[in-house]
Amino acid sequence: MVRMKWLQEAAVLVCGLLAAGAGAQDFPNKPVTLIVPYGSGATDTQYRKLAELASRSLGQPVIVENKPGGNGTIGPVQMARTAKPDGYTISASTVSLLRQPHLQSVNWNPLTDFTWIIGVGGYSFAVVVREDSPFKTLADMVTWAKANPGSLTYGTPGQGSSLHLLMADLAKRAGFTAIHVPYKGGGETTTAMLGGHVMVTLNNVGSVNAQVEAKTARILSIFDAERLSHFPNVPTTKELGYDIVYSSPYGIVGPRNMPPAVVKRLHDAFKVAMEDASNKVLLDTLSLIPWYRSSEQYAKWAVPAFQTEREFIERAGLLKTQ
């Protein structure tokens, strides 16, 4: 009887594995939804291009669904909680997933609640003003902010975003105070800066490229280790005396426990998309950088990056209290 029961259980297990394998082999047989947790801007533009190109490899449409909010975490967290791990709902991911648990108490874990599918790119960040701003250099901005404590206003894509933390870090090092005005995305912050609602915006370079080239905005500094080939005359913040170097990778994640075959199918399709010539042109246009990481590499990268984000937040004085 015991042996018979064991054989029955084994048969059920084998059938289950075969069914899962068959499902993975057929994947995808319907459209895939890619959640982008931001509104208009460079991030949305980049993921829409990747979705378009990946659709060709997958043989099914990849439909972008924008779910901004929570500094880029609402979309992927909602996906992790509600989507089946079948690969039909996946999400864009930024370092916000690794940062938010250090800023506030959350009921999710970035290292265990997601399947890390592929790393695809990275942002270059900048301090930006209107072309007619009295701040011609970063030194001008710092000098004015120190002379007018608490009067400098700056917009970012949200409380606790990389850009908010970068300004907090800069202000702490330079010895000034400023008023943070959070928005839902890079497009909104650019509009606010151009409309005079904030004096400065910290943004990814891709979200202000068009305005800089149209001479309606000016970049005061970038936070990369080296100057950008697209804007060779713009100094790095480190060059200007502030030891802040920061880049922000992004990629694609899914719910935890996704079948390996499905993960590989998605990984391979988006890797082909990354390598497409039209995507490379877009990256250059948006001043984004390629950052390929395989599924295994991306998951391994997340572990030390989680600690790095904690240190970044602590330096900015924004670490949550226990």
Side-chain angles (χ1 to χ4, degrees):
M1 291 294 293
V2 173
R3 184 171 183 272
M4 181 62 70
K5 182 180 180 182
W6 182 88
L7 288 173
Q8 289 173 339
E9 290 176 348
V12 170
L13 176 61
V14 169
C15 288
L17 291 173
L18 289 173
Q25 188 176 10
D26 294 340
F27 177 86
N29 55 29
K30 61 181 181 180
V32 173
T33 296
L34 172 62
I35 295 168
V36 174
Y38 298 95
S40 63
T43 300
D44 181 60
T45 301
Q46 160 69 151
Y47 278 104
R48 287 182 182 276
K49 169 58 73 173
L50 290 172
E52 171 201 333
L53 296 171
S55 296
R56 301 176 187 175
S57 297
L58 293 171
Q60 290 287 344
V62 178
I63 301 169
V64 171
E65 183 177 335
N66 296 91
K67 289 188 178 180
N71 188 28
T73 62
I74 285 179
V77 169
Q78 185 181 61
M79 173 212 65
R81 287 176 175 165
T82 63
K84 295 179 180 178
D86 56 9
Y88 286 103
T89 303
I90 56 179
S91 178
S93 57
T94 65
V95 294
S96 295
L97 282 180
L98 301 172
R99 177 182 307 130
Q100 207 65 19
H102 301 305
L103 290 166
Q104 63 185 81
S105 296
V106 298
N107 57 1
W108 48 272
N109 186 321
L111 301 181
T112 59
D113 289 346
F114 298 92
T115 296
W116 297 77
I117 298 172
I118 186 171
V120 294
Y123 300 107
S124 291
F125 291 140
V127 181
V128 188
V129 295
R130 281 186 5 173
E131 181 62 31
D132 60 0
S133 168
F135 307 145
K136 305 303 181 187
T137 65
L138 188 69
D140 289 342
M141 185 197 78
V142 171
T143 299
W144 189 91
K146 292 172 78 170
N148 299 272
S151 297
L152 182 72
T153 57
Y154 70 98
T156 78
Q159 180 79 13
S161 64
S162 298
L163 297 154
H164 175 210
L165 295 176
L166 282 169
M167 186 58 136
D169 196 8
L170 176 61
K172 188 174 181 181
R173 292 172 187 265
F176 67 85
T177 58
I179 298 173
H180 178 224
V181 184
Y183 293 89
K184 287 185 178 180
E188 285 190 15
T189 67
T190 300
T191 299
M193 178 267 298
L194 292 174
H197 304 295
V198 291
M199 301 168 70
V200 178
T201 178
L202 275 80
N203 218 325
N204 69 74
V205 176
S207 288
V208 295
N209 260 348
Q211 290 75 20
V212 173
E213 292 179 352
K215 299 191 183 303
T216 57
R218 184 187 322 113
I219 300 176
L220 301 184
S221 73
I222 59 167
F223 292 95
D224 291 60
E226 299 177 353
R227 295 191 181 198
L228 298 176
S229 59
H230 206 57
F231 296 110
N233 296 324
V234 175
T236 68
T237 308
K238 187 170 184 177
E239 279 182 68
L240 300 175
Y242 304 103
D243 191 16
I244 308 173
V245 177
Y246 189 82
S247 60
S248 182
Y250 57 87
I252 296 171
V253 296
R256 64 182 174 183
N257 298 328
M258 287 176 60
V262 171
V263 174
K264 185 177 188 306
R265 187 86 170 89
L266 288 166
H267 164 276
D268 292 352
F270 279 98
K271 186 172 189 293
V272 169
M274 280 182 63
E275 294 169 348
D276 190 277
S278 65
N279 183 61
K280 292 179 179 179
V281 169
L282 180 64
L283 289 177
D284 185 59
T285 300
L286 297 177
S287 294
L288 299 171
I289 57 175
W291 188 82
Y292 167 68
R293 294 296 185 275
S294 68
S295 302
E296 182 181 3
Q297 290 170 336
Y298 198 22
K300 286 184 176 178
W301 165 84
V303 176
F306 188 50
Q307 178 61 28
T308 299
E309 287 303 310
R310 186 187 191 283
E311 294 165 0
F312 183 26
I313 292 164
E314 193 168 20
R315 283 199 309 272
L318 297 172
L319 191 66
K320 72 178 181 182
T321 55
Q322 301 297 327

